[in-house]
Amino acid sequence: MSITRRFILLLLLTSLIISSHADTEPNQPGSDEESDDLEQLLAVDEQLQQDPPHQHHQQSEAETVSKAQRIVLELSGDNAKRVIGANEFVMVLGYAPWCARSADLMPKFSEAATALKEIGSPVVMAKIDGDRHSKIASEMEIRGFPTLLLFVNGTSQAYTGGFSAEEIVIWVQKKTGSPIITVNTVGEAQRFLNKYHTFVVGLFNKFEGSEYNEFVKAAKSDDEIQFVVTSDSDVAKLLFPEIKTSDVFIGMVKTEAERYTAYDGSYKTEKMLEFLGNNKFPLITKLSESNTAWVYSSPVKLQVMVFAKADDFQKMAQPLEDFARRFKSKLMFVYIDITNENLAMPFLTLFGIEDANKTVVAAFDNKLNSKYLLESDPSPSNIEDFCSGLADGTVPRYYRSEPVPDNENASIVTVVGKTFDELVLNSQENVLLEVHTPWCVNCEAMSKQIVKLAKHFKGFENLVFARIDASTNEHATLQVDDYPTILLYKSGEKDKPLKLSTKSNAKDMAVFINEELKPRGSSGKDEL
């Protein structure tokens, strides 16, 4: 399996596949139960807000979450279809009570529901227990937990946004309302800043013209970042303090070291989206189970990964941020807590260093199908050189290899990644190579056939039998997806190995070897 395919699989396996579902008691027939349920719940909240302050203690965080959760309508097999059919927009969270990720997402979903209610969104926020109501959940195409789906006039579309409350609100708003928030006063700007932490701000004298229209197109095309627009330079200054013009301006604001980034490209949608792609990520992104797919979606496909303990990473953070600024748009920097086995182990295994417990710096190029490893001490100067080489294309690709074995007196030579050139490609002899893996069902039976062949051809001039474990050894020229695979590397034709049928028995393979290697006019060893 190619490195890129393995890397994509790892990201997809560890990524959060969002779906949705929640549980409700069936309503009495003959009434508008869906709307009534929601209105009654909202009325309870409004009544609580209107009660005299002396009757209530200050709300605890748990009470706040409980209130938010009441805004989310519960669905069941009895009302799900009616709710979805009766409302233009319904955002559904499919969950399972036993799912830890569902438990983590539900309060964020509830918080998003509260925020959407406050801004007057027409979206009905709902949830369904897909484990309990499995039939209707399956019909809604909820096949994993948690799952988020947006139903627009009864038709579902998959959720593609982030998993914080703010990110859910932004995605829903862009799909169901205006993609841009207009801010006219300093007060409105301050309230906006209290709600949004990552956003794109646009300053336009008039909300019309080609430049503004391209800005609107970019806002509609992006599902992750909130766009805000104003025609007041003082408002723009509050949103983006580093602005140095009262003319047309676009800038991005983030809550991290690189807080303000001004756009200096042409006012074309594709260029603005490219700017967003290169700048929406933090200087260093911390990988989590919920953002792996988001990380992979980055337009910057050459990604430097730093595996370290939290304390060790903090000591490296400043120089790493400096490197991230220097190589922006060329390299993306990702931090992975090396003590988190679920996240770190799958990647470290690709390098054959799954037992590593100290800082490791590596890189994946998801476009060129390659991986790289800093094999020297991960000091700031060595990391800088490593990054420079990656950006320049001068760092050699890394191929995993087991230690070099002792093959003395071996009838079948063991090849590893480090010895593939020497024993296979650069050898003057013909080499029959068995490519196997420990988990391959048919490899053991094939190995027995190869042992028979090796004994049969013992003493045969210019023929070596060899095997390599593809699960722990790699080489640039060894691209095998099926196991076992038998390859015959003929002397003088090593760049074009012949593939033997693994359905053949030992006798058939012996005949094939003789036909390929015996000198013309001579007989070979066909009989086993």
Side-chain angles (χ1 to χ4, degrees):
M1 184 181 292
S2 69
I3 296 167
T4 291
R5 288 173 61 189
R6 290 177 183 171
F7 185 57
I8 294 172
L9 181 59
L10 282 170
L11 287 170
L12 293 178
L13 287 176
T14 54
S15 66
L16 185 63
I17 305 172
I18 292 298
S19 3
S20 65
H21 82 259
D23 187 64
T24 70
E25 295 300 321
N27 297 297
Q28 296 298 319
S31 64
D32 295 330
E33 46 272 73
E34 303 82 31
S35 299
D36 290 346
D37 283 349
L38 187 56
E39 291 300 324
Q40 290 171 10
L41 290 172
L42 297 182
V44 170
D45 290 334
E46 291 171 359
Q47 182 61 47
L48 287 172
Q49 292 173 352
Q50 294 171 2
D51 286 343
H54 68 271
Q55 294 182 7
H56 299 281
H57 296 292
Q58 185 175 5
Q59 281 189 326
S60 67
E61 181 178 351
E63 289 171 333
T64 301
V65 172
S66 176
K67 174 184 174 182
Q69 289 175 339
R70 289 197 301 272
I71 297 175
V72 179
L73 183 64
E74 295 188 351
L75 302 179
S76 70
D78 296 301
N79 71 352
K81 290 183 178 179
R82 294 196 301 271
V83 170
I84 292 172
N87 295 278
E88 183 179 6
F89 303 114
V90 181
M91 187 73 175
V92 180
L93 165 62
Y95 72 96
W98 44 260
C99 174
R101 290 177 179 173
S102 295
D104 180 63
L105 182 60
M106 285 179 70
K108 300 172 185 175
F109 186 77
S110 298
E111 185 181 344
T114 301
L116 288 165
K117 172 181 175 288
E118 290 175 350
I119 61 179
S121 171
V123 179
V124 174
M125 300 291 279
K127 60 182 179 179
I128 183 168
D129 181 343
D131 194 40
R132 180 179 178 183
H133 305 289
S134 57
K135 182 177 179 181
I136 187 63
S138 178
E139 291 177 7
M140 295 166 68
E141 299 187 346
I142 295 173
R143 298 186 174 88
F145 306 112
T147 294
L148 283 172
L149 295 172
L150 175 65
F151 288 85
V152 180
N153 293 319
T155 301
S156 70
Q157 55 180 280
Y159 179 77
T160 57
F163 306 120
S164 69
E166 180 179 330
E167 289 169 324
I168 294 172
V169 169
I170 291 171
W171 190 89
V172 171
Q173 275 291 90
K174 291 206 171 192
K175 295 297 183 181
T176 63
S178 172
I180 300 176
I181 294 176
T182 301
V183 175
N184 298 312
T185 67
V186 170
E188 291 177 356
Q190 190 59 62
R191 288 191 291 274
F192 176 89
L193 290 173
N194 291 337
K195 290 183 178 180
Y196 299 96
H197 306 96
T198 298
F199 56 89
V200 175
V201 57
L203 171 63
F204 297 90
N205 295 324
K206 294 182 179 180
F207 299 153
E208 60 184 22
S210 60
E211 294 172 338
Y212 175 74
N213 291 337
E214 292 294 313
F215 182 75
V216 173
K217 289 179 183 177
K220 290 180 178 179
S221 300
D222 176 83
D223 291 335
E224 300 177 15
I225 303 171
Q226 182 61 59
F227 280 56
V228 59
V229 67
T230 185
S231 59
D232 188 304
S233 58
D234 290 334
V235 171
K237 186 76 172 178
L238 180 60
L239 297 172
F240 197 103
E242 296 184 4
I243 190 171
K244 294 181 172 59
T245 180
S246 58
D247 202 357
V248 176
F249 173 84
I250 296 174
M252 186 169 187
V253 180
K254 295 182 290 186
T255 56
E256 55 130 352
E258 192 183 42
R259 184 161 175 76
Y260 302 104
T261 306
Y263 175 67
D264 60 0
S266 63
Y267 288 88
K268 297 295 182 183
T269 299
E270 61 274 13
K271 290 298 181 181
M272 294 181 197
L273 293 175
E274 183 179 333
F275 168 77
L276 295 184
N278 291 332
N279 289 278
K280 68 181 179 181
F281 292 93
L283 289 174
I284 303 173
T285 300
K286 182 177 180 180
L287 193 72
S288 67
E289 292 182 345
S290 63
N291 72 359
T292 48
W294 183 61
V295 169
Y296 183 76
S297 72
S298 169
V300 182
K301 297 303 182 184
L302 184 51
Q303 301 179 350
V304 177
M305 292 192 162
V306 179
F307 302 84
K309 297 177 181 177
D311 292 343
D312 293 335
F313 174 74
Q314 288 303 317
K315 299 173 184 176
M316 308 166 62
Q318 188 57 57
L320 286 174
E321 287 182 356
D322 293 339
F323 302 153
R325 288 189 184 91
R326 175 181 168 187
F327 297 107
K328 181 184 286 189
S329 78
K330 292 184 178 180
L331 305 177
M332 178 178 179
F333 286 74
V334 181
Y335 161 59
I336 302 176
D337 185 346
I338 200 170
T339 64
N340 186 330
E341 292 188 1
N342 290 336
L343 287 176
M345 187 71 71
F347 295 104
L348 294 174
T349 300
L350 293 180
F351 293 90
I353 52 175
E354 52 268 27
D355 295 329
N357 56 16
K358 294 183 178 180
T359 300
V360 173
V361 178
F364 288 93
D365 191 323
N366 304 320
K367 184 178 180 180
L368 297 181
N369 186 19
S370 57
K371 61 184 177 183
Y372 310 86
L373 180 67
L374 175 61
E375 299 188 66
S376 58
D377 176 65
S379 65
S381 60
N382 286 341
I383 295 175
E384 183 176 16
D385 291 342
F386 180 67
C387 293
S388 295
L390 288 171
D392 296 338
T394 57
V395 175
R397 297 185 181 189
Y398 178 84
Y399 295 98
R400 185 171 40 171
S401 177
E402 292 180 287
V404 177
D406 181 5
N407 283 311
E408 187 175 357
N409 300 322
S411 60
I412 300 178
V413 174
T414 298
V415 178
V416 297
K418 294 176 181 177
T419 61
F420 194 89
D421 285 332
E422 174 190 355
L423 299 179
V424 179
L425 298 184
N426 298 334
S427 170
Q428 296 301 310
E429 298 176 295
N430 301 294
V431 179
L432 186 82
L433 180 68
E434 173 196 358
V435 187
H436 68 95
T437 65
W439 40 262
C440 165
V441 176
N442 299 317
C443 285
E444 184 177 356
M446 178 55 66
S447 292
K448 292 178 180 178
Q449 299 290 332
I450 298 301
V451 170
K452 290 182 181 179
L453 285 171
K455 290 180 179 178
H456 176 68
F457 283 97
K458 185 176 182 179
F460 191 89
E461 185 178 358
N462 205 27
L463 176 61
V464 172
F465 284 81
R467 61 164 51 112
I468 185 170
D469 182 348
S471 71
T472 51
N473 297 279
E474 298 168 336
H475 190 273
T477 66
L478 188 64
Q479 300 296 325
V480 175
D481 290 323
D482 300 317
Y483 306 103
T485 290
I486 309 299
L487 299 171
L488 178 60
Y489 290 83
K490 296 174 65 175
S491 180
E493 302 177 26
K494 295 297 180 75
D495 59 333
K496 298 177 181 179
L498 303 176
K499 187 174 182 179
L500 281 69
S501 172
T502 53
K503 296 181 180 179
S504 302
N505 57 31
K507 181 178 179 180
D508 292 335
M509 286 190 283
V511 171
F512 179 85
I513 292 169
N514 275 315
E515 290 177 348
E516 291 296 331
L517 302 184
K518 71 181 181 181
R520 290 184 179 180
S522 64
S523 61
K525 299 178 65 175
D526 295 347
E527 298 296 329
L528 288 175

